[in-house]
């Protein structure tokens, strides 16, 4: 079932707005949960793409835990949920003044490098399950900016190095109970996951034999992947050959299709032969549009529609543009423009550039009603600008 589109045009919505669909979210997370039960892995939701507490609460009953990237994310999930389940963390950014609090808040730490492990093992031993992030040195992402397996990667210990340490039973690996890898992004097939697991099996069997758990990361768009056999084979190798407990930590695959950004046309004019429609939102409310330079999906767009517009954001940046879109009906002042597939990496990355207010957050409930969940105001902007003169130094 798709996101409830009617609700997105509801007149009562104050735009710009981020509207998430509770039914769609539950459908997506239960789909992954069901697959996990059949195939035999644990599902963690990673907070990277979405941290809104009501969404975390909605997902929580279908999850085996959460994964986080910082002490603040770990504290937040513990504050937001009564029983979040086990928390996993991996980050290149562990600081010595945070390690005790991280060990307090998290249950599993996958250290990002051997030096990070050496620095902090004394502080965490006996408090958490200790693991290492590995770099399987098998790239699937073309753009090097997003490829954790790129040359000179900062993410994880190179597999060849780990394999050599495990082969000679190096004391450096004492107390390491698991490994973590994350190597993909928006994949519509599980083939790379199986290829990576086969690569580990062939290159580092001694490593897999000495650990108890393995976290296969995120990067897979679960609901869009028809062939689940490679996933089942990958988990089967790890479980039946090595007895490993397997975790996956999807983000986008659970939340991306469950939310939209709803905006309103606030100006229309001609510019060098094209009609520009300025919206009350901006690429800064969905920063990946600008970062990755992709054109987001808009409801009602038709390839050859007679009414064409350059949809523009409302900030001073000339390149604050969404792209050219055609519609069968003309846009007017006050028309709604709805960007879909906005559930991941929007709310966590949006910012206040130019002082444009952030979108209000609404949920479309299971009965189809719209509930305002959070509004931002001038005071939030002022605080973000450092305007709180009573802040402690
Ligand atoms: C370590 C790790 N795990 C999980 C994820 C989630 O990936 P996605 O949202 O593509 O599923 C990411 C994304 O960058 C990541 O870096």
């Amino acid at each position: 079932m798709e996101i409830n589109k009617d609700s997105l045009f509801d007149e009562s919505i104050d735009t710009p707005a981020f509207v998430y669909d509770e039914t769609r979210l539950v459908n997506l997370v239960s789909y992954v949960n069901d697959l996990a039960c059949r195939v035999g892995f644990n599902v963690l939701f990673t907070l990277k793409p979405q941290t809104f507490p009501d969404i975390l609460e909605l997902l929580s009953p279908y999850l085996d835990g959460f994964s986080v990237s910082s002490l603040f994310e770990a504290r937040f999930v513990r504050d937001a949920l009564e029983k979040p389940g086990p928390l996993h963390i991996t980050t290149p950014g562990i600081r010595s003044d945070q390690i005790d609090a991280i060990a307090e808040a998290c249950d599993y730490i996958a250290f990002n490098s051997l030096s990070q492990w050496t620095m902090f093992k004394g502080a965490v031993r006996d408090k958490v399950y200790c693991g290492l992030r590995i770099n399987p040195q098998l790239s699937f992402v073309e753009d090097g900016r997003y490829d954790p397996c790129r040359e000179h990667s900062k993410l994880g210990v190179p597999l060849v190095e780990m394999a050599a340490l495990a082969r000679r039973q190096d004391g450096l690996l004492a107390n390491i109970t698991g490994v973590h890898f994350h190597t993909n992004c928006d994949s519509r097939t599980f083939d790379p996951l199986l290829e990576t697991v086969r690569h580990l099996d062939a290159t580092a069997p001694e490593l897999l034999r000495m650990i108890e758990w393995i976290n296969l990361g995120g990067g897979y768009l679960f609901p869009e992947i028809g062939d689940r056999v490679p996933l089942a084979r990958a988990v089967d190798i790890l479980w039946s050959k090595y007895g490993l407990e397997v975790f996956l930590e999807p983000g986008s695959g659970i939340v991306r299709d469950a939310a939209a950004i709803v905006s309103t046309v606030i100006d229309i004019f001609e510019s060098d032969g094209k009609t520009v429609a300025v919206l009350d939102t901006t690429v800064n409310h969905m920063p990946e549009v600008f970062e990755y330079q992709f054109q987001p999906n808009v409801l009602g767009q038709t390839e050859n529609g007679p009414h064409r517009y350059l949809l523009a954001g409302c900030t001073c940046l000339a390149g604050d543009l969404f792209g050219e879109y055609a519609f069968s009906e003309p846009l007017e002042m006050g028309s709604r423009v709805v960007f879909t597939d906005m559930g991941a990496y929007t709310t966590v990355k949006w910012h206040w550039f130019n002082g444009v207010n952030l979108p209000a957050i609404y949920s479309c409930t299971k009965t189809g009603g719209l509930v305002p969940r959070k509004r931002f105001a001038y005071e939030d902007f002022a605080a973000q600008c450092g305007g709180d003169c009573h802040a402690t130094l």
Side-chain angles (χ1 to χ4, degrees):
M1 200 170 78
E2 288 189 322
I3 189 166
N4 180 341
K5 292 189 180 123
D6 294 343
S7 67
L8 301 170
F9 291 92
D10 193 301
E11 299 259 299
S12 69
I13 295 177
D14 261 342
T15 67
F18 173 89
V19 183
Y20 64 89
D21 185 326
E22 294 186 359
T23 308
R24 180 74 185 139
L25 272 173
V26 169
N27 285 344
L28 287 165
V29 71
S30 19
Y31 171 79
V32 180
N33 173 284
D34 186 54
L35 189 57
C37 295
R38 284 168 200 238
V39 168
F41 61 89
N42 297 288
V43 191
L44 311 171
F45 176 69
T46 184
L47 258 71
K48 291 166 192 67
Q50 183 51 255
T51 52
F52 192 58
D54 298 11
I55 293 184
L56 301 181
E57 201 172 319
L58 208 61
L59 301 179
S60 186
Y62 305 90
L63 300 168
D64 298 296
F66 288 84
S67 80
V68 298
S69 309
S70 64
L71 173 61
F72 280 8
E73 278 190 358
R75 281 181 55 185
F76 187 73
V77 73
R78 291 232 173 265
D79 284 349
L81 304 177
E82 221 172 291
K83 288 187 185 157
L87 290 199
H88 291 231
I89 187 169
T90 186
T91 167
I94 298 183
R95 299 162 48 117
S96 52
D97 59 354
Q98 292 185 339
I99 187 65
D100 291 338
I102 287 175
E104 188 76 22
C106 297
D107 304 281
Y108 290 74
I109 305 181
F111 290 94
N112 183 62
S113 66
L114 291 169
S115 55
Q116 200 186 54
W117 165 233
T118 308
M119 251 184 297
F120 298 125
K121 63 182 169 187
V124 300
R125 217 168 19 214
D126 304 330
K127 294 190 186 147
V128 295
Y129 293 101
C130 296
L132 279 166
R133 177 167 180 169
I134 58 171
N135 165 8
Q137 300 175 291
L138 199 57
S139 288
F140 299 103
V141 181
E142 271 173 30
D143 186 334
R145 288 175 301 168
Y146 313 111
D147 178 12
C149 301
R150 61 188 279 168
E151 207 180 3
H152 314 299
S153 174
K154 62 170 194 179
L155 298 167
V157 186
L159 182 63
V160 282
E161 202 175 333
M162 282 296 283
L165 290 172
R167 222 173 290 126
R168 60 171 188 264
Q169 299 187 344
D170 196 294
L172 195 49
L173 299 187
N175 297 309
I176 289 293
T177 60
V179 296
H180 172 286
F181 68 80
H182 166 81
T183 59
N184 221 328
C185 178
D186 289 356
S187 182
R188 291 182 166 79
T189 153
F190 287 119
D191 291 345
L193 196 65
L194 178 56
E195 201 180 325
T196 308
V197 167
R198 285 187 171 144
H199 181 55
L200 295 188
D201 182 26
T203 315
E206 297 85 356
L207 175 66
L208 298 179
R209 268 198 289 274
M210 58 164 275
I211 56 174
E212 293 157 21
W213 56 272
I214 184 163
N215 184 331
L216 311 183
Y220 291 85
L221 295 177
F222 279 76
E224 297 185 29
I225 305 180
D227 181 8
R228 298 173 295 179
V229 173
L231 170 66
R233 288 215 176 111
V235 173
D236 186 54
I237 293 171
L238 297 166
W239 167 243
S240 54
K241 201 161 166 190
Y242 298 101
L244 298 183
E245 183 172 19
V246 179
F247 296 90
L248 269 88
E249 48 179 21
S252 308
I254 292 181
V255 291
R256 179 181 293 158
D257 319 359
I261 295 235
V262 182
S263 67
T264 301
V265 175
I266 55 170
D267 197 8
I268 301 192
F269 51 81
E270 296 298 311
S271 177
D272 296 328
K274 289 192 178 174
T275 309
V276 176
V278 180
L279 307 176
D280 61 358
T281 186
T282 150
V283 291
N284 304 313
H285 292 162
M286 31 195 131
E288 290 202 336
V289 167
F290 194 72
E291 199 180 320
Y292 293 11
Q293 290 291 300
F294 74 91
Q295 188 158 331
N297 293 327
V298 167
L299 278 184
Q301 70 183 109
T302 52
E303 187 122 338
N304 300 313
H307 305 284
R308 295 188 78 79
Y309 301 89
L310 185 54
L311 295 183
C314 59
T315 70
C316 67
L317 177 70
D320 182 1
L321 299 169
F322 297 98
E324 262 191 274
Y325 293 82
F327 300 94
S328 46
E329 299 295 325
L331 291 182
E332 293 162 2
M333 290 289 290
S335 294
R336 285 284 161 88
V337 172
V338 176
F339 296 92
T340 56
D341 312 314
M342 286 293 156
Y345 302 102
T346 47
T347 56
V348 292
K349 286 191 171 186
W350 64 24
H351 58 84
W352 292 92
F353 180 59
N354 272 202
V356 177
N357 198 8
L358 296 181
I361 300 180
Y362 291 79
S363 68
C364 174
T365 64
K366 290 169 195 150
T367 53
L370 277 169
V371 178
R373 299 278 176 186
K374 169 101 189 149
R375 280 182 210 282
F376 297 92
Y378 166 73
E379 288 70 21
D380 299 303
F381 171 64
Q384 149 82 20
C385 294
D388 180 4
C389 55
H390 304 298
T392 44
L393 289 177

